[in-house]
Amino acid sequence: MGVNDVSLRVLAVDDEEPALAELLYLLAEDPRIGTVVPALTAGEALRRLSGTRTDDPHGPGGSRGPGPHAPGGFDVAFLDIDMPGLSGLELARRLGALPAPPLVVFVTAYEDFAVRAFDLKAVDYLLKPLRKERFAEAVRRVAELVRAGQGPRPAAPGPVAPAPGDQVPVELGGVTRFVPLADITYVEAHGDYARLHTGRGSHLVRVPLSTLEEQWRSRGFVRIHRSRLVALGRIEELRVDGGNLTVRIGDRVLAVSRRNARELRDLLAGRAASRLR
């Protein structure tokens, strides 16, 4: 069966009627889309999940197809983020707690939530105004995952280390690129932005370093300086020179502040001990 042979069951949520109407139009134009159930609020979306439906097949409050109570629920939820009451991020967390949660694609006018969105295992992150080609690419990704049996997915525990599929969205000139988290060696603060360094270059994202520290700590990143995070597993050398501590990652030597030195030493010692067991 090809990707175009799927018939996706979609939950579409946006609190602005024109934006929801545009989303519904794009969904209706795609042959891979089957059932579409719209909602103007997160609360309405949760009610839709319980099986409520209306008879208007095209309006913002209606549905097309058999409805959310069809066997297996939704394959994917297209969610706005900035909504009154329950936000799209909070709604995604609730969806993730379901026995077979749908895949999630965020549709928003803001870049700021990208890292948090992908921490919730979003399949894609679309910026408004929506572009037809970019939207079709998001649907293609969803369709491929559904065909591979990965959506709706069983609920999974929170990740504790970078996995091969963990990716960070990076916007450049209207193009979203996805950088594997496992490729990031260290991160530097640039005001309200952060620069992600990999073995092949660097990428600027509009996320404060403090936010990345909080969200990536469980994935093996540690702060070594007020302006820098490093991937613990990428540290190749720890050096002490005249009381100053540095680490080497590839060809870069990075300073470690005295405030962060003890924690770093303890983490590296624990890592070494675990390898000897």
Side-chain angles (χ1 to χ4, degrees), residues 60-218:
S63 64
R64 175 163 63 87
H69 53 280
F74 294 105
D75 294 306
V76 60
F78 284 80
L79 307 179
D80 183 26
I81 291 182
D82 188 18
M83 297 188 291
L86 204 66
S87 73
L89 294 171
E90 293 166 333
L91 177 57
R93 290 190 186 94
R94 294 202 182 187
L95 295 178
L98 296 174
L103 300 167
V104 171
V105 173
F106 287 105
V107 183
T108 178
Y110 304 98
E111 298 179 9
D112 309 50
F113 303 105
V115 171
R116 292 166 62 188
F118 280 89
D119 276 345
L120 293 170
K121 300 299 182 185
V123 174
D124 212 334
Y125 189 90
L126 303 179
L127 290 175
K128 299 175 182 176
L130 295 173
R131 293 185 293 115
K132 187 173 182 179
E133 296 79 8
R134 185 68 181 83
F135 186 84
E137 171 63 16
V139 175
R140 183 193 65 78
R141 289 176 180 167
V142 171
E144 286 186 348
L145 289 171
V146 170
R147 284 187 66 236
Q150 298 182 38
R153 307 149 295 163
V160 296
D166 287 340
Q167 295 180 316
V168 180
V170 176
E171 291 284 338
L172 182 61
V175 177
T176 304
R177 296 185 178 180
F178 298 90
V179 178
L181 184 59
D183 287 356
I184 298 172
T185 57
Y186 68 99
V187 185
E188 289 184 300
H190 282 259
D192 290 334
Y193 291 75
R195 183 167 293 280
L196 314 178
H197 292 268
T198 72
R200 295 182 295 275
S202 66
H203 309 274
L204 198 64
V205 294
R206 191 176 178 181
V207 184
L209 192 71
S210 58
T211 299
L212 295 181
E213 178 185 19
E214 178 184 347
Q215 296 177 352
W216 289 0
R217 174 175 290 274
S218 64

Side-chain angles (χ1 to χ4, degrees), residues 159-162 181 184-185 213 215-223 229-235 264 267 271:
V160 296
L181 184 59
I184 298 172
T185 57
E213 178 185 19
Q215 296 177 352
W216 289 0
R217 174 175 290 274
S218 64
R219 290 175 165 137
F221 284 80
V222 60
R223 188 185 284 262
L229 296 177
V230 299
L232 200 63
R234 294 301 192 114
I235 295 176
L264 178 63
L267 288 170
R271 186 181 181 87

Side-chain angles (χ1 to χ4, degrees), residues 3-32:
V3 173
N4 287 336
D5 295 329
V6 299
S7 183
L8 299 173
R9 297 162 297 180
V10 179
L11 176 65
V13 188
D14 198 308
D15 66 308
E16 297 182 359
E17 289 198 21
L20 181 56
E22 179 187 16
L23 178 57
L24 294 178
Y25 171 78
L26 290 172
L27 289 167
E29 290 290 297
D30 197 303
R32 295 164 292 195

